Amino acid sequence: MVTFGHSRDACGDDWPLVGRERELAALDAVAAEVLSGRSRVVQLEGAAGVGKSVLLSAWWERNDQFRVLRARCHPLEREFAFGAVRQLFRPLLAAASEADRACLLEGSAAATLRALDDAAGTEPLPEAADVTASTLQGLDTLVARLSRRQPLLLAVDALQWIDQPSLRWLVHFAGRADSRPVLIAVTTRSAEVRRLDPLLAELVRPANCQTLVVEPLDTAGVAQLVRTLWGAEEPDDAFCAAAHAATGGHPLFVRALLHQAQRSGVRPTASFRDRIPTVMLSTLAGEISHRLCQASGEVVELVRALALLGDRKPPELLAAYCGTGRAVVLSAAQDLRSLGLLRADGDLRFTHPVVRDTVLGMLSPEELGAGHARAAQVSCLSGRPDEEVAAHLLAAGPVHGSWVLPVLRRAAGQALHRGAPETAVTYLRAALHQPLDDAERARVLLELGTAASHYDAALAISCVTGALEELTDETARSDALGVLAYSLLLSRGSRTDLSDVDRKIAALCDRRTADSGAADRELALRMGALRAWMEFERPSVTGPAPAPSPGTDDDPADRTAGERQLLAIRAFRALRAALPAPYVAGLIERASVNLPAFSHDLFPLHYFVAQTLLYLDELDTADQLNRHLTREISGRGMELLVSSLMLYQAGLALRRGNITEALATAETAADRASSTGRLPYALTLDTLRIDALLAQGRTEAAERIAGAHAVAGQAEVAWERPRFLMSLAALRIAQGNPRAGLSLLRECGHHCEAAGTVSPAMAPWRSRSVAAHLALGDTASARALAEQELDLARRCRIPRALGVALRVTGLATSGPQGLDLLAEAVDVLGPAPARLELARALDAFGAALLHRDDKRGARSALRRGLDLAVGCGATVLAARLQERLHLAGGRVGRAGGAGALTAGEERVGTLAAQGYSNKQIAELLVVSLRTVETHLTGAYRKLGIAGRPYLAAAMAAADRSRQGSGTADS
C-alpha cells in the first residue's frame, strides 16, 4: 500500500508524495529515538528538485509531537550573520507573549538577541566587542527551554548555502545536546555540498548524523502521479514506463512533463506513449526560456528581479529594481503564475529553487554582476538591511560609489556585534577594493585587523601592521598598537619584528609624554603599559625592567584607565621582585576596582590583573574575574580570548589542587585546536597537562605531550618557556633521571634571573631542584637552594610559596630543626587555597614523625594528607600516603576519589558519567530526583571537581587508582 502526503505544484494542484515509504520509515525511527530523549541529526541528500523538502514537510505534518522551526538557506545569504538561526527562531519569539518571551530568554536575553534581533545589531558596542561564545550558549539555552515544553524539530533546507555562524551553532549544539528531545533535519543537494568545510563535515559525519539519500521515483511512483492527474482513468503501463524513461523519475520533471502532456491533449494510454515530450535536466533551461518567450518584457524583468533579489521581497523593492510601479509588478506576477513559474499561494517566490538556478544560469557573468550591482543600489536606496545590500555587493564584484564604503563598514560592525567576525572580515576585505585615499585605507585596515583579532591573530597582525604605515592620527596609532599587542599576545610563531613594534610604542610614548594635556598623558600611560607587557612576554626584546620598591615613586592615582594600568603593572613587577604580598595586593585592588569589560583600548590591564591575582593566590577573586570576562565575551566571537580564558581556568583549578578538573579543562582547550588551529599559549597548555598527568602517575602520557616541543635552540625566550622547563624537569625526575631534571632547572633559573623574576611564587625552580639534589646525595647543594628560596618566600609573604619553601628546607635539614620546619609548613599552608601543597607537606611531616617512631602523630598527619590527596585526584601522592599510613599502623581505604564515595554516590556517579540525565538516573534506580542531586553533589565534593563535565575523567582516575593500590577497605 502506498504511503503519501501532499504537496502543491506550480499550478496549485495537489500532488501525492509517492514512493517514499523507506525514507518515511527511517524518519519515523529517528523520531522515536528523539521522543525517547535523545537528540539526533538526519540529512536528506539528493539532486535538486528530487523532493527532499516536500518529503520532510509531509513527514512532519503527520508527526504532531514536534514543534517545527524551519529555515531555508539561500546563496545570497551565506554572509548573513546567523541568518538561518534568525529564520528558525524569530517567528517563534515574535509570536510569543511578552511574559513567555521573557521566560524563554531569561538569563541569556542579551546574547540571544544579538543573533536574532536586527535592532540589537545597531546598538553601540565597546571597541573590539566579539560575538560567538555567549551567543552559542544563549541559543543552546533557548532550545533547551523549548524542548522541555515539546520535542523540537529544527528543519534547515539547502544546508549547502547556510551562513557560517548558524552552521557553527548547529555543530556546537549537536555536540552538546545528547539528552534533549531535539531533531535537527537538514536537506542538501548532492552536487553542491561544501565537502571541504570542516564544520559542515562535522555536522553530517556518520558518527553524528544519519543520511538518507533521496532517489528519483521508480515506475510505480510515476504511475501513482499519473493516476492523480488523470483521475479515475487507469494509466497504461507502457505510458508510465515512457514517462519514467523521459524524466529519469525526477519528481519535478515528472510533474512538469505530465502537466505539459495533459495540456497538449495527451491521455495515459499506450497510443499516446510516443507523444510524451522529453523534459530532462539538460533541457529545463529551454523549457523555462520557452515559457518566458511567451511573456511580456515586464514579466521577464520580474523573473530576473526575483532571481537576483530573492524570495518574499516587497513589491515596492521589485518595482524599484524593474524601474516600474507596484501595480505592474503584481500584474506581471499573475502572468508568471499562469506560466507555472511562481507559487500559486500569493507569495512572490518561484515554485522551486531550480527555477531560480536556471534563470541565473541563463545570464552571462557580466549580466549577473550588473544585476547584483543594481540590486545592491536599489536595496540601499530602499532602506534594506546593510547585510542584504552587502551580499549583493560581494556577488557583483567591484561596485563604486560614495554609498558603498559606509554600507560595507556598517555591515561589518553588525556582523561583529552578532558574533560573526569572519563575516565582518569578508565585508571589510571587499571595502579595501573601493577607491580609498591613504587615510581611509588605513582606517579600514585597522577595522579589518580588529575583527580578525577575534579568531586569526596572524591576519590581524598583518592588517594592523599595514595600517600603522599610513595612520597619522596618534590616537588611531595608539588603538592600532593596542590591537597589535593583543594579537601578538595570542599569536605564536609570528614573524613580526617585535623590536620594531617596541620602537613604535616607545616613540609614541615619548612624544605623548612631552605634551601636557590629560589625553596625551593617558596615551602615554597606555603605551607604557604595552611596553611593560612586551618586557614580560618577550624579555629578549626589551630587557628586564628595574624592580620597583615600596615608597620609591609617587603614589599613582587610580582615576583613569591609564592610571589603573600603571597600578597593575607596578603590582605585577612588585610580585615578580618578591616584594611583600600586602603591598602587591593593595596595588592590584586599586587597579581592579569596578574593572570594565575587556576591550583592546584597555589591554593589557586585565592581563596584569589576572596574572597577579593568580600568583598572589587570590584564587576566588581570580575566578570571579575569569567568569566575568567569560560572560562578557561569550557569544561574541572572540575565539582566541575564549581559549586563553579556558587555559586560565585550568591553571586556577591546578593551583587549587583540583587535578581532574584542571586536566579535563586543559584537554578541552587542546581539543579546540583541531578546529581553530594552533591555540595561543600552547606551551602553557601543555605545561598544565604535564603537571596534572604527573600528579596522576601517567608519565607515558606526559612524555608524549612533552615530546611535541623542542626546547633547545629557541632564539626568542618568552615567559612560557621557564615554566615548561620546570614541568619537563619534574617529568625527568619522575622517570628516574634526576641529573637531566637538574640541568633543565638550572636553565630555567638562568632565564628567570635574566628576566628579573625572582619570586618563588612565580618561579619555584630552586625548591624543585632540592628533591633532585637529595636523590643524588648532594645534601649541601639541596640545603643551600632551599634556604635561598626560604629567604625569598619570607620576603614575599605568600603562604603557598612560604609553605613549599619550608617543606623542602625541612626535607634538606636533619634532626628536630627539620621537623620544626615541616610542622611550620603545615601550619602556613593550612588556611591557604593550596590543598595539594598542604597534602605534600603533611606527607613529608608524617614521614618525618614516622622516622622518629611517633606513629600516632604520623597517622594523624598522614590520614589528613590522604583525604586531601584523594580529594585533589593526586593518585601518586595518595598511593604514597596510603603506604606510609599502613607502615604507621593505620587502617587505609581505597585510593582515589571513588574509594571515598558511598555506594549510592558511586552508583549515581557511574550512571551520570555514562551520560544519563538526573531524571533518567532517578527512574533507573527508583529514587527521587532530590536523592540523585544529593548524591551527585557529594560525589563532586569528594572527587574535587566542579561538576558533570569532569565526572567521567574523575571516575576513571579513581578506578585506575583503586586497581593500582590493591589495599583493603577500612
Side-chain angles (χ1 to χ4, degrees):
M1 184 174 180
V2 177
T3 304
F4 63 91
H6 282 79
S7 63
R8 297 183 70 83
D9 83 329
C11 299
D13 299 312
D14 284 327
W15 286 100
L17 179 71
V18 301
R20 301 304 185 201
E21 292 79 10
R22 177 186 65 85
E23 293 86 349
L24 290 170
L27 287 170
D28 285 339
V30 174
E33 293 185 49
V34 174
L35 294 173
S36 70
R38 291 187 58 197
S39 65
R40 292 298 306 274
V41 180
V42 64
Q43 173 185 212
L44 300 179
E45 181 181 357
V50 80
K52 305 177 294 294
S53 300
V54 171
L55 170 61
L56 185 57
S57 298
W59 175 77
W60 82 52
E61 285 173 2
R62 47 177 238 159
N63 285 274
D64 57 5
Q65 301 101 317
F66 287 92
R67 170 179 285 188
V68 181
L69 306 180
R70 185 172 188 175
R72 181 180 290 278
C73 305
H74 188 276
L76 273 179
E77 298 176 0
R78 284 182 178 177
E79 301 302 334
F80 283 21
F82 290 105
V85 164
R86 280 183 272 165
Q87 287 190 55
L88 287 172
F89 296 109
R90 279 210 300 199
L92 179 144
L93 292 177
S97 66
E98 289 189 14
D100 192 34
R101 179 184 173 96
C103 179
L104 287 171
L105 297 178
E106 182 182 1
S108 61
T112 308
L113 290 177
R114 272 198 296 269
L116 302 180
D117 191 350
D118 285 332
T122 64
E123 296 172 359
L125 286 176
E127 183 185 351
D130 166 20
V131 188
T132 298
S134 71
T135 302
L136 302 185
Q137 184 59 47
L139 292 170
D140 284 356
T141 302
L142 174 60
V143 172
R145 289 169 179 166
L146 289 169
S147 66
R148 284 197 291 268
R149 299 179 178 184
Q150 183 180 356
L152 205 60
L153 169 61
L154 304 180
V156 181
D157 276 323
L159 182 73
Q160 69 274 4
W161 293 329
I162 193 170
D163 61 283
Q164 283 293 104
S166 294
L167 180 58
R168 184 185 300 115
W169 173 69
L170 285 175
V171 173
H172 170 88
F173 178 78
R176 293 163 174 77
D178 187 57
S179 61
R180 297 172 186 161
V182 179
L183 173 59
I184 299 173
V186 301
T187 69
T188 57
R189 289 190 185 180
S190 302
E192 296 188 33
V193 175
R194 295 172 289 167
R195 300 189 184 280
L196 297 181
D197 187 325
L199 285 174
L200 192 146
E202 176 65 21
L203 181 65
V204 300
R205 69 188 178 99
N208 291 343
C209 174
Q210 180 173 347
T211 296
L212 305 177
V213 178
V214 182
E215 302 284 0
L217 298 174
D218 57 17
T219 305
V222 172
Q224 182 71 10
L225 292 179
V226 173
R227 289 189 190 94
T228 299
L229 190 59
W230 271 276
E233 186 173 356
E234 183 64 25
D236 181 80
D237 291 342
F239 179 90
C240 295
H244 182 271
T247 61
H250 193 286
L252 180 68
F253 308 119
V254 171
R255 293 197 295 268
L257 179 147
L258 295 181
H259 256 300
Q260 184 176 341
Q262 190 183 52
R263 287 197 300 268
S264 302
V266 170
R267 309 299 299 174
T269 63
S271 60
F272 283 96
R273 177 181 59 187
D274 295 335
R275 290 185 57 186
I276 293 176
T278 300
V279 183
M280 299 291 288
L281 281 169
S282 59
T283 61
L284 184 59
E287 172 68 20
I288 293 176
S289 177
H290 174 71
R291 296 188 189 189
L292 290 177
C293 283
Q294 307 169 35
S296 65
E298 288 84 359
V299 171
V300 173
E301 277 300 308
L302 179 58
V303 167
R304 290 193 177 189
L306 284 167
L308 289 162
L309 290 169
D311 291 333
R312 292 174 171 153
K313 292 300 183 289
E316 294 77 11
L317 178 64
L318 295 167
Y321 181 91
C322 296
T324 186
R326 185 176 189 275
V328 175
V329 164
L330 294 179
S331 175
Q334 191 59 38
D335 291 342
L336 268 181
R337 289 191 182 93
S338 69
L339 293 174
L341 299 179
L342 203 65
R343 289 177 63 92
D345 56 10
D347 279 346
L348 290 174
R349 55 178 175 147
F350 290 123
T351 56
H352 195 280
V354 169
V355 180
R356 170 180 288 105
D357 296 345
T358 305
V359 171
L360 294 176
M362 295 163 63
L363 301 177
S364 68
E366 293 76 15
E367 289 174 318
L368 274 175
H372 279 297
R374 177 165 177 75
Q377 187 172 26
V378 167
S379 298
C380 181
L381 292 173
S382 300
R384 301 297 296 174
D386 288 320
E387 65 178 356
E388 188 175 306
V389 181
H392 288 297
L393 289 172
L394 295 178
V399 177
H400 301 309
S402 59
W403 57 276
V404 174
L405 181 61
V407 165
L408 290 170
R409 292 175 74 177
R410 287 197 303 269
Q414 291 163 6
L416 201 59
H417 187 101
R418 286 196 172 110
E422 302 98 329
T423 301
V425 165
T426 299
Y427 292 148
L428 291 167
R429 277 177 162 160
L432 287 175
H433 294 295
Q434 293 299 304
L436 306 172
D437 60 31
D438 290 344
E440 285 177 323
R441 180 177 178 80
R443 285 195 295 271
V444 173
L445 276 172
L446 177 55
E447 292 173 12
L448 178 53
T450 301
S453 71
H454 292 54
Y455 70 98
D456 188 337
L459 175 59
I461 290 167
S462 174
C463 294
V464 177
T465 301
L468 279 168
E469 297 299 323
E470 302 296 340
L471 286 172
T472 56
D473 178 76
E474 294 192 347
T475 300
R477 287 183 63 81
S478 170
D479 293 339
L481 287 168
V483 176
L484 181 58
Y486 168 79
S487 302
L488 288 168
L489 167 70
L490 299 181
S491 171
R492 285 296 175 262
S494 170
R495 297 183 179 180
T496 300
D497 185 348
L498 293 174
S499 59
D500 181 59
V501 175
D502 183 60
R503 283 194 296 272
K504 290 176 179 177
I505 293 173
L508 188 56
C509 181
D510 292 342
R511 284 201 299 274
R512 305 314 289 183
T513 304
D515 296 324
S516 57
D520 298 322
R521 178 175 179 272
E522 193 68 10
L523 278 177
L525 289 173
R526 183 181 177 192
M527 293 301 98
L530 292 177
R531 290 206 76 195
W533 164 78
M534 291 192 67
E535 172 265 319
F536 175 60
E537 276 284 324
R538 301 289 202 282
S540 59
V541 174
T542 62
S549 57
T552 57
D553 296 317
D554 292 335
D555 186 36
D558 54 11
R559 296 182 298 271
T560 69
E563 289 168 346
R564 291 188 179 189
Q565 285 188 327
L566 177 59
L567 284 167
I569 293 165
R570 288 193 178 186
F572 188 67
R573 285 176 173 167
L575 175 72
R576 293 173 67 191
L579 295 187
Y583 169 71
V584 179
L587 291 174
I588 209 65
E589 183 177 359
R590 293 172 57 200
S592 57
V593 171
N594 296 322
L595 194 66
F598 174 85
S599 65
H600 288 150
D601 59 351
L602 289 174
F603 177 79
L605 173 59
H606 297 80
Y607 174 92
F608 284 121
V609 169
Q611 292 290 334
T612 304
L613 290 173
L614 181 73
Y615 291 112
L616 273 178
D617 258 6
E618 297 288 347
L619 302 186
D620 289 340
T621 306
D623 186 61
Q624 290 172 8
L625 173 62
N626 191 55
R627 292 176 186 276
H628 167 71
L629 290 175
T630 301
R631 234 179 0 255
E632 286 292 330
I633 68 170
S634 178
R636 292 163 47 190
M638 302 185 77
E639 295 300 320
L640 293 174
L641 187 54
V642 167
S643 297
S644 296
L645 290 176
M646 189 178 295
L647 202 61
Y648 188 69
Q649 179 186 346
L652 283 172
L654 193 63
R655 288 187 74 82
R656 288 188 187 277
N658 296 337
I659 303 299
T660 306
E661 179 182 343
L663 185 57
T665 305
E667 295 290 358
T668 301
D671 289 342
R672 291 173 66 92
S674 61
S675 60
T676 62
R678 184 173 172 80
L679 287 170
Y681 295 130
L683 195 59
T684 295
L685 171 67
D686 287 344
T687 297
L688 293 171
R689 294 167 74 194
I690 290 170
D691 287 345
L693 289 168
L694 289 178
Q696 294 182 348
R698 299 164 62 185
T699 55
E700 290 184 3
E703 179 61 43
R704 285 195 296 272
I705 293 171
H709 297 278
V711 296
Q714 296 185 3
E716 183 182 288
V717 177
W719 68 273
E720 291 183 283
R721 190 180 176 202
R723 292 175 57 182
F724 177 74
L725 290 173
M726 285 192 288
S727 297
L728 186 59
L731 173 60
R732 296 291 173 256
I733 293 170
Q735 291 171 331
N737 191 350
R739 292 190 185 279
L742 272 177
S743 177
L744 291 166
L745 289 167
R746 289 191 190 101
E747 184 182 352
C748 171
H750 168 74
H751 291 310
C752 290
E753 289 174 355
T757 302
V758 298
S759 172
M762 297 184 69
W765 63 273
R766 297 176 183 84
S767 58
R768 298 197 179 194
S769 301
V770 169
H773 279 297
L774 291 175
L776 294 170
D778 188 355
T779 306
S781 296
R783 180 74 179 270
L785 285 170
E787 289 177 348
Q788 288 176 24
E789 181 147 323
L790 183 57
D791 288 341
L792 290 168
R794 292 195 187 280
R795 188 201 309 173
C796 75
R797 294 159 58 183
I798 297 174
R800 180 193 302 267
L802 180 56
V804 170
L806 287 166
R807 174 175 61 82
V808 297
T809 307
L811 289 172
T813 305
S814 59
Q817 183 182 1
L819 188 63
D820 291 343
L821 289 167
L822 293 172
E824 186 181 357
V826 171
D827 290 340
V828 167
L829 290 167
R835 294 186 305 153
L836 185 57
E837 293 302 341
L838 176 57
R840 288 169 175 155
L842 286 164
D843 175 50
F845 183 51
L849 290 172
L850 185 61
H851 182 71
R852 297 190 61 182
D853 205 28
D854 182 359
K855 293 185 177 181
R856 182 175 181 180
R859 287 197 295 269
S860 176
L862 294 170
R863 278 200 189 96
R864 185 182 171 197
L866 179 58
D867 288 342
L868 286 169
V870 166
C872 290
T875 52
V876 172
L877 179 60
R880 187 167 69 237
L881 282 158
Q882 278 189 321
E883 182 178 352
R884 286 177 173 164
L885 183 56
H886 179 71
L887 292 174
R891 299 184 63 192
V892 296
R894 295 176 293 176
L901 303 182
T902 66
E905 290 168 346
E906 190 160 1
R907 282 196 299 271
V908 170
T910 300
L911 290 171
Q914 293 172 357
Y916 290 94
S917 67
N918 288 6
K919 182 178 179 182
Q920 291 170 326
I921 295 171
E923 292 171 351
L924 285 170
L925 299 181
V926 196
V927 296
S928 69
L929 191 60
R930 180 65 180 271
T931 299
V932 172
E933 292 169 350
T934 300
H935 283 328
L936 278 177
T937 301
Y940 297 158
R941 177 178 54 80
K942 293 177 181 178
L943 292 170
I945 59 176
R948 190 182 291 259
Y950 313 106
L951 187 58
M955 298 290 289
D959 287 341
R960 284 194 300 271
S961 178
R962 180 169 59 240
Q963 293 165 5
S965 64
T967 54
D969 292 339
S970 58

